[in-house]
Amino acid sequence: MARSTSRTSSNPRRPRRTLADFVKAFLAFLALAALVVGVPGSLAYFVGWPLADEMPSMEMLQQQITVNTFISVLTVVVWLAWAQFTACVLVEVKAAVSGVGMPVRVPASGMSQALARQLVAALLLVMAGAASFAPGLAQMGSGPEEPSRPAVASSAQQTPGQQVRDSARDQTAGHAESAKRTAESAKEQGTKFYRIQPPEGRHHDSLWEVAQRHLGDGRRYNEIYQLNKDRVQPDGSRLSQASLIRPGWIMEMPADAHGGDVVEMPDDAPQVSQEVRQQIQDYDDAGGKAGGAQQGGGAQQGGDTDTAQISVPTQRPAVPDTGHEVATPVTDSSSSSSFGLSEALIASPLLAAGLLAALGHRRRTALWQSAMGTVAGRGGREPSVPTGAAADAQDSLLVGADPEAVRFLDRSLRGLSASLAAESRPLPVVHAAWLSEGELHLQLGRPEARPPAPWQEGKDPGVWHVERSATGTYENGDTASPYPGLVSLGTHEGSRLLLNLESVPGLVSLTGAPQDRAAVLASVAAELATSGWSDRMTITLVGFGEELRALAPTRLRHLEGVEDLLEVMEAETRQRRGALGAAGHDSVLTGRTGHVQNNRWAPHLVLLTAEPTGTQAARLTELASDAGRLGIGYLVGAGSDHVTGAVWQLDVTPEGRLLAPLLGLDLKAQMLPRAQHDAVVQLFKHAEPDHDPSPDPSASPFLVDITERGRPAVYARLVGAYELIGLATPDSERSVLLHEALALLLLHREGVHPQVLAASLWPRGVTADVRDALVERMREWLGTDPDGTPRLRLDAAGRLTLAVSVVSDLDVLRSLHHEATRGRGAGNAAVRERLLSDALDLVRGPLLADRPEGRYGWLAHEIVDAQLPLLVADVALALSEHHLEQGRPEPAVAALTVALSPSPGDERLWNELLRATHATGDMARLAELAGYLVARADRPGAGGRGLPPRTEALLDELLPAWRNADAAAG
């Protein structure tokens, strides 16, 4: 049996001991000598034996207590304390020397054993080096002259993860079988062993790192696992999960294992101690006798019983119908399909839905701020139409978004929280969620009692699941979001994994190529900033992503370096600990149930790319050790190596896979590549209220010819009930779809991508041939212009557009307003009055007032519901101003009353109505209107804020007695 020749070269150099280490060791020796030897010697010399020389009698118990009696009792107490401390020292020395298992706890020792451990560690650190905590360990695979290697990281601490269970890992079954065959073959070639190193600080050994060091590839950890699975270790426990190993355990290694810590039996037997040699021999002899279930195995794991695990549920959700067929399959997430859309955005339905909702809110806010005059000189502004990459990104979001999935996730989580609160039960710790088309699975930190209905227990322990059809019983309430830190990482067999970053008991590290790490972190940041299943949170980006603040300025903040982050997080960690203690909560989860819902319990998630120094990494690790219960999460994607002390380790590959071997995860990563990242940021920046892009003639608003010669061939009435003029009625089976498709195109004169059209009409998905058949049928229905040109066309960018001969009343309304205020009516009062009156006559009600139930869901992504009321208000205000200038207040009142119907919350209309009513001279009518406004402002739904300040000031001017009337009414 050939011995390894690469042992010395692969053996890391032992860290040098500094003068401070020797000083600490000397002081530890003096302290141990004083406490273990000096204390009993001093007691014997100065006090003597504290016990009486004769048996106590009743007379002795009745005697008066003297100073000598008190000293004797005190001496007995000191002797007992010395005995307990000495026992602690002996226990710690035995554990350190043997290196097997954890030290036995001495009853009621507390600080005594902790002190003994520190003193023994300080002494042995210099006496024997890092690995000399176990002399046998120091000799394994190296002669006395060879340096010992330092301990390395392990997931033997409470680290989430396990192998995907055999019943739930169809894709990995072949790999596991292959690893098992490799392991058996390796055993035939030779028998080598490795002993798991004791921890050095927070750094532990792990099978991944053992495989990386001694097999050259960390992914071969499964070969080691298969060789040692379920075999009895020296401390009596067994290896049942690849992520749970302990110092002192022995691992049989494949034949090609190499390195200074690998022992080859029997060649290396003389180089290890008799005790270790015997342990290896016993372990080797029992190798073929390992059974399946072991007696008391769970009990042996002790503290590991509540270790979090992430596994694909054995009760597999149905593979969802994504509904988004990409015309040309792509393999690179940053590339595009033949239609120019981003596969990365299309494949991220929760992220896309959040971005669209946030973008719509931003555009509505910009419209109202412009309308209310908060942006100087920008009255009547409409958001610019995106072009180029931004337009492609918007189309990709429209195709990929799944708002129903967001609502299902949000409703399920809030409903669970409300149900648990009703039963006076706390929220369980949730490490991850698997979301599919029909089900939601929650991976709990530890098994819990039976979940409240309609949730059910999964087949795997510690898993709760609920079906989408069962959540209809949940009512909308004010329940706080229980798990706002959930964020999508990727997909596996049709299910989407959401990791709960704030529940991680430590750091999460991410490695991979810089551009791949950046794409994953950008996706995480964007989804957290816009997620629909959270109420509030803080996301701190360190070393990257300052431009992402455009997505959510109130949630996202940016810091330049790690030192700035440490200063902020150390203060916040102290504050949260104090707040939890003062509130009597054990974690932030307690504060999110029942009536106690405070901003202090909102999560704070840190995404870091700046490279921390060794000292900074240690401080981060210390901060993260208690982060799980404080609602703070750390995701560190810095460098090519995992951060020391990270409890979860993720790797993103160039092929777009996200791997967590010790968690048993292999996902298709959710990413936001740089090109799509920039395009999304551009969309949000263009939606800012103060964004003033340079004029682009190609992006000018669509205006129609409002003269007689511009009469359209097809006219659609959308403002109010949907009516069509100039088209034959299609057959009843296709009428609804054709009408909806035409409405979508009429509201987007810039064009609609075919995939956007399909995703809008069939949110649950449709094949390309059905989509293309509808487009062709619609082209035949709309017909051609007199010159033979089809009225439905495909432009150079691949978008469907309508001919100018197909017009809606909304197009006419916009054109009339533009002509009255900026065209011919701007210099002619009579023309302006006629144009504005014609425009107001077009208003018959809200947009598409009679749309069928369950259809037109795409309107939720539009801002036309905000644009139309503002446009009508602008028309009415301009017409009212004209009538008042002409001394005709009654027509002004009539115009404003029409506009208030679609826009009852527009303060401008109410103030102008007060002025017009005052101009009529009817003060009783004015007082009645003032009373209505006061009562309306005091309604519960109005927030109890009263009248706006500008309205109050106007009433003071027009009707000074209104306050007296209000007081009398009160």
Side-chain angles (χ1 to χ4, degrees):
M1 195 178 301
R3 296 180 57 180
S4 171
T5 60
S6 59
R7 179 175 300 143
T8 303
S9 62
S10 64
N11 190 27
R13 187 181 300 275
R14 187 178 70 185
R16 293 185 178 181
R17 303 302 170 200
T18 64
L19 178 62
D21 294 330
F22 286 99
V23 171
K24 291 179 182 178
F26 178 70
L27 295 176
F29 172 77
L30 292 180
L32 283 172
L35 292 172
V36 176
V37 180
V39 168
S42 299
L43 290 173
Y45 180 81
F46 291 106
V47 181
W49 187 250
L51 300 180
D53 297 332
E54 57 185 12
M55 293 296 293
S57 62
M58 289 299 298
E59 293 181 357
M60 294 177 62
L61 295 177
Q62 294 174 355
Q63 291 179 358
Q64 184 179 0
I65 297 177
T66 64
V67 174
N68 289 334
T69 305
F70 178 77
I71 292 176
S72 297
V73 173
L74 185 61
T75 304
V76 172
V77 173
V78 176
W79 274 103
L80 292 175
W82 168 83
Q84 183 193 52
F85 178 77
T86 302
C88 293
V89 172
L90 293 176
V91 166
E92 292 296 328
V93 170
K94 180 181 181 301
V97 170
S98 66
V100 178
M102 298 296 293
V104 177
R105 287 190 59 83
V106 178
S109 60
M111 295 298 296
S112 296
Q113 188 164 3
L115 176 61
R117 182 178 301 128
Q118 293 294 329
L119 295 174
V120 171
L123 183 61
L124 295 183
L125 182 67
V126 172
M127 292 179 62
S132 299
F133 283 13
L137 192 65
Q139 299 173 27
M140 289 185 65
S142 60
E145 75 285 353
E146 291 184 2
S148 302
R149 62 172 299 282
V152 291
S154 162
S155 55
Q157 57 188 328
Q158 288 192 0
T159 306
Q162 69 172 11
Q163 281 298 98
V164 178
R165 294 179 176 87
D166 292 341
S167 58
R169 54 177 182 182
D170 298 336
Q171 286 188 340
T172 59
H175 174 70
E177 184 63 29
S178 174
K180 190 172 183 179
R181 289 195 302 267
T182 303
E184 292 173 352
S185 173
K187 187 168 182 178
E188 293 176 359
Q189 299 176 30
T191 307
K192 298 182 180 180
F193 297 91
Y194 173 82
R195 198 173 189 190
I196 301 301
Q197 300 285 345
E200 180 178 292
R202 290 181 177 272
H203 210 172
H204 298 250
D205 215 354
S206 71
L207 290 188
W208 177 277
E209 291 179 329
V210 171
Q212 185 68 43
R213 291 192 307 271
H214 301 298
L215 300 177
D217 186 354
R219 289 171 292 186
R220 292 183 63 188
Y221 77 94
N222 200 35
E223 297 178 28
I224 306 175
Y225 174 69
Q226 293 295 336
L227 280 171
N228 299 275
K229 181 180 178 182
D230 293 330
R231 293 171 65 176
V232 179
Q233 293 292 335
D235 63 358
S237 57
R238 301 174 187 245
L239 176 66
S240 60
Q241 296 177 16
S243 62
L244 299 179
I245 59 175
R246 295 182 177 182
W249 281 9
I250 295 171
M251 296 288 116
E252 183 175 340
M253 301 289 288
D256 61 337
H258 58 273
D261 298 316
V262 174
V263 173
E264 187 170 337
M265 296 292 286
D267 290 6
D268 291 345
Q271 300 184 28
V272 299
S273 67
Q274 178 62 37
E275 179 186 4
V276 173
R277 187 163 60 247
Q278 186 61 48
Q279 288 178 356
I280 294 177
Q281 189 63 53
D282 294 343
Y283 185 76
D284 189 29
D285 293 343
K289 304 173 185 178
Q294 37 119 344
Q295 226 178 28
Q300 288 288 354
Q301 290 186 8
D304 295 333
T305 56
D306 64 350
T307 299
Q309 303 168 358
I310 298 179
S311 61
V312 180
T314 55
Q315 186 171 339
R316 294 292 298 126
V319 177
D321 179 6
T322 61
H324 309 308
E325 178 176 320
V326 181
T328 303
V330 292
T331 56
D332 182 4
S333 61
S334 64
S335 65
S336 302
S337 70
S338 61
F339 280 124
L341 300 188
S342 163
E343 172 66 10
L345 292 175
I346 293 175
S348 307
L350 303 184
L351 169 62
L355 289 172
L356 276 181
L359 183 61
H361 179 267
R362 182 73 52 81
R363 286 172 170 171
R364 289 181 179 89
T365 301
L367 280 173
W368 278 100
Q369 288 182 356
S370 175
M372 300 306 161
T374 57
V375 181
R378 300 290 302 281
R381 169 188 176 274
E382 290 191 9
S384 57
V385 176
T387 58
D392 290 338
Q394 179 171 273
D395 285 343
S396 302
L397 293 176
L398 289 167
V399 172
D402 190 352
E404 286 301 320
V406 174
R407 281 190 282 270
F408 168 48
L409 177 62
D410 184 49
R411 184 171 61 247
S412 301
L413 296 178
R414 293 182 195 267
L416 174 62
S417 178
S419 299
L420 289 171
E423 298 178 7
S424 299
R425 295 171 57 186
L427 285 168
V429 175
V430 169
H431 284 303
W434 289 95
L435 179 67
S436 71
E437 176 72 10
E439 287 185 309
L440 172 64
H441 291 249
L442 295 184
Q443 189 85 42
L444 308 185
R446 61 180 62 87
E448 298 279 350
R450 186 173 183 83
W455 287 81
Q456 302 175 20
E457 289 182 296
K459 293 183 179 179
D460 295 323
V463 174
W464 289 357
H465 73 95
V466 66
E467 295 181 1
R468 178 178 293 207
S469 58
T471 59
T473 58
Y474 285 140
E475 298 179 356
N476 295 328
D478 58 354
T479 304
S481 171
Y483 305 111
L486 285 168
V487 63
S488 303
L489 287 186
T491 57
H492 175 76
E493 294 184 352
S495 292
R496 184 166 303 276
L497 174 68
L498 292 92
L499 187 67
N500 190 9
L501 277 179
E502 66 167 335
S503 74
V504 182
L507 299 175
V508 180
S509 71
L510 172 69
T511 62
Q515 68 273 15
D516 297 326
R517 294 199 317 268
V520 171
L521 288 170
S523 170
V524 169
E527 186 170 297
L528 287 173
T530 60
S531 67
W533 53 92
S534 62
D535 299 322
R536 61 188 76 87
M537 69 172 63
T538 300
I539 306 149
T540 299
L541 310 179
V542 185
F544 82 106
E546 185 174 8
E547 69 284 351
L548 288 172
R549 294 191 68 250
L551 275 59
T554 59
R555 283 194 179 187
L556 285 163
R557 67 177 176 182
H558 175 264
L559 297 176
E560 288 294 338
V562 181
E563 200 60 40
D564 297 332
L565 172 70
L566 289 170
E567 181 179 349
V568 170
M569 297 312 299
E570 285 171 350
E572 179 162 346
T573 299
R574 289 193 300 270
Q575 185 273 331
R576 290 202 175 209
R577 284 174 179 161
L580 282 176
H585 300 316
D586 56 352
S587 76
V588 294
L589 291 180
T590 313
R592 292 180 187 156
T593 54
H595 301 291
V596 186
Q597 300 174 8
N598 193 291
N599 287 348
R600 290 180 298 181
W601 319 132
H604 186 164
L605 305 174
V606 177
L607 310 181
L608 175 71
T609 60
E611 192 78 33
T613 64
T615 302
Q616 290 172 339
R619 290 169 65 187
L620 272 176
T621 304
E622 181 64 30
L623 284 173
S625 63
D626 194 29
R629 73 181 190 93
L630 301 178
I632 302 174
Y634 296 87
L635 176 57
V636 184
S640 58
D641 296 326
H642 286 295
V643 178
T644 301
V647 296
W648 289 359
Q649 299 180 354
L650 310 175
D651 295 274
V652 57
T653 70
E655 295 77 25
R657 309 297 300 181
L658 190 70
L659 308 178
L662 297 185
L663 304 181
L665 295 177
D666 183 349
L667 309 172
K668 180 181 179 181
Q670 178 170 300
M671 308 170 76
L672 187 60
R674 190 69 202 186
Q676 285 71 47
H677 164 282
D678 292 342
V680 167
V681 170
Q682 184 182 1
L683 278 175
F684 278 81
K685 286 185 175 179
H686 285 186
E688 292 290 345
D690 56 353
H691 175 68
D692 190 9
S694 55
D696 182 1
S698 63
S700 58
F702 177 77
L703 302 175
V704 300
D705 186 355
I706 56 175
T707 64
E708 183 62 28
R709 63 177 178 273
R711 181 180 295 273
V714 177
Y715 183 66
R717 304 181 72 181
L718 306 180
V719 184
Y722 194 170
E723 297 179 12
L724 279 177
I725 302 172
L727 281 178
T729 303
D731 61 78
S732 57
E733 293 183 359
R734 301 184 178 93
S735 178
V736 174
L737 279 176
L738 289 173
H739 277 73
E740 185 175 355
L742 180 57
L744 177 63
L745 290 167
L746 285 168
L747 293 178
H748 288 275
R749 302 304 307 216
E750 74 279 6
V752 175
H753 197 288
Q755 282 189 259
V756 174
L757 178 68
S760 301
L761 299 181
W762 293 282
R764 297 179 64 86
V766 70
T767 57
D769 57 338
V770 173
R771 175 198 65 205
D772 295 341
L774 175 75
V775 171
E776 187 59 34
R777 192 172 293 113
M778 189 176 179
R779 184 177 287 112
E780 295 176 1
W781 179 47
L782 291 175
T784 60
D785 283 333
D787 61 358
T789 306
R791 292 179 180 140
L792 179 63
R793 309 164 182 174
L794 200 65
D795 66 10
R799 289 180 171 82
L800 297 166
T801 61
L802 293 173
V804 294
S805 58
V806 182
V807 174
S808 73
D809 52 357
L810 187 56
D811 298 328
V812 177
L813 180 59
R814 288 194 179 108
S815 301
L816 289 169
H817 175 253
H818 182 272
E819 190 68 18
T821 55
R822 303 179 188 180
R824 293 180 294 117
N828 189 312
V831 172
R832 181 166 65 254
E833 178 183 347
R834 178 175 57 81
L835 293 172
L836 293 174
S837 297
D838 290 345
L840 204 58
D841 288 341
L842 294 174
V843 180
R844 300 175 297 117
L847 187 75
L848 297 167
D850 60 348
R851 55 180 177 266
E853 185 177 357
R855 303 300 309 177
Y856 295 85
W858 48 269
L859 279 172
H861 300 313
E862 306 288 339
I863 61 168
V864 67
D865 58 337
Q867 289 176 303
L868 179 59
L870 288 175
L871 178 60
V872 173
D874 285 345
V875 171
L877 288 170
L879 187 57
S880 172
E881 181 183 5
H882 169 77
H883 284 311
L884 290 177
E885 288 176 355
Q886 301 298 319
R888 301 193 297 265
E890 288 296 345
V893 170
L896 294 167
T897 303
V898 171
L900 279 168
S901 177
S903 188
D906 195 330
E907 181 188 351
R908 301 173 304 162
L909 292 175
W910 289 111
N911 290 348
E912 193 64 21
L913 183 59
L914 286 172
R915 291 189 182 94
T917 304
H918 180 268
T920 64
D922 190 342
M923 302 309 291
R925 186 176 170 187
L926 180 61
E928 181 181 357
L929 177 58
Y932 171 79
L933 288 176
V934 170
R936 181 177 179 273
D938 290 336
R939 291 174 186 168
R945 293 187 296 269
L947 290 174
R950 284 184 290 190
T951 304
E952 283 192 356
L954 182 60
L955 280 174
D956 287 337
E957 176 188 348
L958 302 179
L959 189 66
W962 77 275
R963 294 184 184 274
N964 297 332
D966 185 30

